């Protein structure tokens, strides 16, 4: 039976616009031996098509059906739950809005009309946006988020991610968001493993650089959780954590030896 590989992108396959050494060769090798490969990113500031184009530009042949982002997971989640005429308020950037529009999800800026508030990474986040989301929550809107990442790895360091937007609204409401649809959600894991890869969980590997998202999703859903040390996490962080990956590798280059 083939194996399935779910690869995180930032910090695993590339950093910024630079491919991590060995990434293209590793993915090509896995495909050539018959394994299935999916790319899964929590980053909500690009569309699936943007990621497909980036991977191809960096030398990894990829088509639209091999990339899943948290925007798509949120859109799919809402599509299955929204009632007729219900609308969604979005705190996030245009790619998140675009992918909700792709599934014909109605969007509003009116806090009295919103049935859901969706929180994504927003590099133009303001007090006005926070207050608008807060007022929607006060009017009964349910709050969900694309991803819990506190930071995003970039060349030379890290920058705040969606976790900062979540923290701001949770600080105002005193309540946790209802669900985070991207990693480490088992909602995301179930969709990818059962509907896309169509393999038993034990035959699937999630390869990523984060304990709280990549590794947690893998361990919670019974996948092989493979940590690479090219992104956020170092060995000291693993030693201090109760969450222990199935395997720790220096980089994606070593995945072919699993």
């Amino acid at each position: 039976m083939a194996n399935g590989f779910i690869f995180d992108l930032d910090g695993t396959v590339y950093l910024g616009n630079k491919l991590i050494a060995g990434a293209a060769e590793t993915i090509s090798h896995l495909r050539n031996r018959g394994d299935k490969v999916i790319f899964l990113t929590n980053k909500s500031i690009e569309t699936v098509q943007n990621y497909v184009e980036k991977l191809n530009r960096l030398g990894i042949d990829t088509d639209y059906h091999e990339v899943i982002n948290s925007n798509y997971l949120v859109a799919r989640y809402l599509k299955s739950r929204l009632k007729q005429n219900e609308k969604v308020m979005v705190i996030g950037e245009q790619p998140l809005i675009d992918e909700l529009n792709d599934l014909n999800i109605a969007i509003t800026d009116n806090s009295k009309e919103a049935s859901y508030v969706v929180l994504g990474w927003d590099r133009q986040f303001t007090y006005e946006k926070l207050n608008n989301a807060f007022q929607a929550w006060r009017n009964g809107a349910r709050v969900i988020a694309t991803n819990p990442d506190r930071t995003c790895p970039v060349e030379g360091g890290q920058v705040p991610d969606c976790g900062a937007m979540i923290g701001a609204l949770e600080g105002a409401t005193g309540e946790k968001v209802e669900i985070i649809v991207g990693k480490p959600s088992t909602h995301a894991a179930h969709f990818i493993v059962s509907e896309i890869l169509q393999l038993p969980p034990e035959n699937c590997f999630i390869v990523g650089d984060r304990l709280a998202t990549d590794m947690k999703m893998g361990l919670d859903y019974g996948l092989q959780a493979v940590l690479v040390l090219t992104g956020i996490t170092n060995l000291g962080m693993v030693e201090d954590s109760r969450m222990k990956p199935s395997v720790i590798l220096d980089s994606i280059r070593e995945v072919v030896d699993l």
Side-chain angles (χ1 to χ4, degrees):
M1 179 182 289
N3 290 319
F5 288 85
I6 306 165
F7 286 99
D8 172 54
L9 289 174
D10 286 291
T12 301
V13 174
Y14 54 69
L15 278 172
N17 290 309
K18 185 177 180 181
L19 201 65
I20 289 171
E25 294 82 359
T26 293
I27 290 160
S28 177
H29 181 87
L30 296 176
R31 287 170 170 163
N32 288 339
R33 75 183 190 192
D35 292 327
K36 299 180 180 181
V37 172
I38 291 291
F39 301 102
L40 173 62
T41 177
N42 267 352
K43 203 170 175 181
S44 64
I45 59 171
E46 301 286 352
T47 64
V48 167
Q49 186 58 40
N50 293 148
Y51 287 114
V52 171
E53 292 171 1
K54 180 172 183 175
L55 286 165
N56 280 297
R57 189 169 64 249
L58 291 174
I60 298 175
D61 291 337
T62 309
D63 68 36
Y64 190 87
H65 303 290
E66 293 175 309
V67 178
I68 299 164
N69 68 353
S70 57
N71 295 348
Y72 174 73
L73 292 169
V74 164
R76 187 175 176 276
Y77 178 88
L78 288 170
K79 190 69 175 177
S80 68
R81 287 162 175 79
L82 285 171
K83 299 173 184 175
Q84 190 172 11
N85 299 322
E86 286 190 327
K87 298 179 180 180
V88 173
M89 176 182 287
V90 178
I91 306 300
E93 299 191 17
Q94 193 61 43
L96 174 56
I97 294 169
D98 289 344
E99 289 182 303
L100 294 179
N101 285 334
D102 285 346
L103 290 188
N104 299 312
I105 291 168
I107 294 172
T108 182
D109 290 328
N110 188 332
S111 61
K112 295 180 180 178
E113 292 181 348
S115 297
Y116 282 86
V117 173
V118 176
L119 299 176
W121 184 7
D122 190 342
R123 291 170 295 182
Q124 289 78 45
F125 189 62
T126 62
Y127 183 85
E128 182 181 1
K129 290 182 179 183
L130 172 61
N131 183 48
N132 210 22
F134 175 71
Q135 299 305 329
W137 170 81
R138 288 192 68 214
N139 288 323
R142 301 166 74 174
V143 181
I144 69 173
T146 57
N147 62 293
D149 303 61
R150 297 180 186 276
T151 63
C152 177
V154 295
E155 289 184 75
Q158 304 175 42
V159 293
D161 202 320
C162 184
M165 283 83 250
I166 294 172
L169 188 56
E170 287 182 346
T173 66
E175 295 183 2
K176 295 290 187 183
V177 299
E178 183 172 317
I179 184 172
I180 295 171
V181 186
K183 297 178 288 186
S185 166
T186 53
H187 168 88
H190 178 75
F191 169 60
I192 293 166
V193 172
S194 65
E195 295 190 35
I196 297 180
L197 294 174
Q198 297 182 350
L199 291 168
E202 60 269 22
N203 281 79
C204 297
F205 298 77
I206 181 162
V207 184
D209 68 308
R210 291 177 179 267
L211 294 171
T213 53
D214 304 310
M215 298 303 101
K216 180 170 171 50
M217 188 179 88
L219 294 169
D220 286 352
Y221 200 71
L223 313 178
Q224 303 294 320
V226 182
L227 179 73
V228 290
L229 301 176
T230 47
I232 292 290
T233 306
N234 58 45
L235 287 175
M237 294 163 70
V238 177
E239 290 173 4
D240 293 338
S241 174
R242 289 177 296 177
M243 196 174 307
K244 303 301 182 186
S246 311
V247 181
I248 301 174
L249 304 177
D250 285 334
S251 79
I252 190 173
R253 188 196 295 273
E254 299 173 23
V255 168
V256 295
D257 298 324
L258 289 174

